[in-house]
Amino acid sequence: MLEDQPAGQAAQLASANPAHWPVAPGWQEVAEPFFADAAGQALLQFLLQRLQAGAVIFPPQPLRALQLTPPEAVRVVILGQDPYHGRGQAEGLAFSVAPGVRLPPSLQNIFKELQRDLGVPPPAFPAPGGSLVPWARNGVLLLNTCLTVEEGQAASHAGRGWERLTDAVIRHIAQGPRPVVFMLWGSHAQSKRALIPADRGHLVLCANHPSPLSALRPPLPFIGCGHFGQARAFRQQHGY
């Protein structure tokens, strides 16, 4: 198994072999069937072709969220769309950037709302900076619905098959034995609400995306949404 290392400034995807993308043991029953079926094989072939064509693909470890947060540890799910497409940014966790990387505006707004809601000051820079690895290790599944992207081309790998896997991940958590918090920010994340049963006791929180374009807009502004406080109260209520 590869050692868990943060993405470096020049780190990029080097292989289309899922054997090089470790996941926690509890996720193997979800990931392995996906890569064995036709959709998973088509995705891997696409990634291989793009790599052979010289494409620069991020992040180096597409399944890092599934490596750092085992299913049995998940208490909160935050859904993103696809990884950051700037060099040195994506580190395999939704909204997170590698330590020392300038904070993207959406992440700045996340830290702003966290401070407004719970009084938590922004993390020190450059380390940990915008890296949300501590969140991932504390039960927050930071899941993008598409897990790779090409440099400078947002959503360039959308619709290529990753969504089949990430939908299965959401279903796995949503059907699990423990109520969890789902934070759905923006219309894309909210489109996954249908995967979350209403009778399992989950807390589903919806707001606009934290992007500056929408963070302050009605009807559900991200700034002022209070999701972090609600999530903390829910976790305390359920004893974790």
Side-chain angles (χ1 to χ4, degrees), residues 145 162-172 192 195:
T145 56
W162 281 123
E163 293 86 355
R164 289 277 296 275
L165 173 60
T166 54
D167 281 1
V169 167
I170 296 167
R171 288 193 190 94
H172 187 81
K192 303 298 182 179
L195 303 175

Side-chain angles (χ1 to χ4, degrees), residues 173-199:
I173 294 299
Q175 296 288 350
R178 180 192 309 107
V180 303
V181 181
F182 287 87
M183 295 185 180
L184 308 181
W185 299 335
S187 59
H188 180 81
Q190 289 162 25
S191 72
K192 303 298 182 179
R193 188 168 188 169
L195 303 175
I196 306 169
D199 61 352

Side-chain angles (χ1 to χ4, degrees), residues 5-29:
Q5 295 179 341
Q9 290 292 323
Q12 62 192 64
L13 189 73
S15 167
N17 184 351
H20 297 163
W21 307 334
V23 299
W27 287 120
Q28 291 174 356
E29 65 182 272

Side-chain angles (χ1 to χ4, degrees), residues 8-239:
Q9 290 292 323
Q12 62 192 64
L13 189 73
S15 167
N17 184 351
H20 297 163
W21 307 334
V23 299
W27 287 120
Q28 291 174 356
E29 65 182 272
V30 179
E32 290 179 359
F34 168 75
F35 288 117
D37 73 12
Q41 288 294 306
L43 169 65
L44 295 176
Q45 184 61 30
F46 166 74
L47 292 174
L48 178 61
Q49 290 172 348
R50 296 305 300 141
L51 288 171
Q52 290 176 338
V56 175
I57 300 174
F58 306 127
Q61 291 289 321
L63 304 184
R64 196 168 182 226
L66 305 185
Q67 179 187 16
L68 296 184
T69 315
E72 64 272 15
V74 174
R75 303 294 186 268
V76 177
V77 179
I78 297 178
L79 287 181
Q81 190 162 355
D82 66 341
Y84 295 119
H85 55 80
R87 186 173 291 266
Q89 289 184 307
E91 61 167 6
L93 305 171
F95 295 105
S96 183
V97 293
V101 173
R102 181 179 179 181
L103 271 59
S106 293
L107 186 54
Q108 292 181 35
N109 280 336
I110 289 171
F111 288 147
K112 182 184 296 185
E113 173 59 17
L114 184 60
Q115 184 169 30
R116 188 210 63 80
D117 195 13
L118 295 181
V120 177
F125 192 88
S131 177
L132 302 181
V133 167
W135 293 21
R137 290 198 167 118
N138 194 38
V140 181
L141 183 65
L142 297 159
L143 184 69
N144 282 315
T145 56
C146 180
L147 299 183
T148 54
V149 70
E150 293 184 24
E151 183 174 19
Q153 301 180 52
S156 49
H157 289 187
R160 291 292 182 169
W162 281 123
E163 293 86 355
R164 289 277 296 275
L165 173 60
T166 54
D167 281 1
V169 167
I170 296 167
R171 288 193 190 94
H172 187 81
I173 294 299
Q175 296 288 350
R178 180 192 309 107
V180 303
V181 181
F182 287 87
M183 295 185 180
L184 308 181
W185 299 335
S187 59
H188 180 81
Q190 289 162 25
S191 72
K192 303 298 182 179
R193 188 168 188 169
L195 303 175
I196 306 169
D199 61 352
R200 306 288 291 193
H202 301 303
L203 176 62
V204 181
L205 302 174
C206 297
N208 289 355
H209 194 276
S211 162
L213 295 175
S214 58
L216 294 172
R217 286 184 178 177
L220 297 170
F222 176 79
I223 300 298
C225 68
H227 285 183
F228 296 107
Q230 293 177 66
R232 183 171 70 176
F234 185 85
R235 292 181 65 166
Q236 291 173 342
Q237 174 188 347
H238 288 85

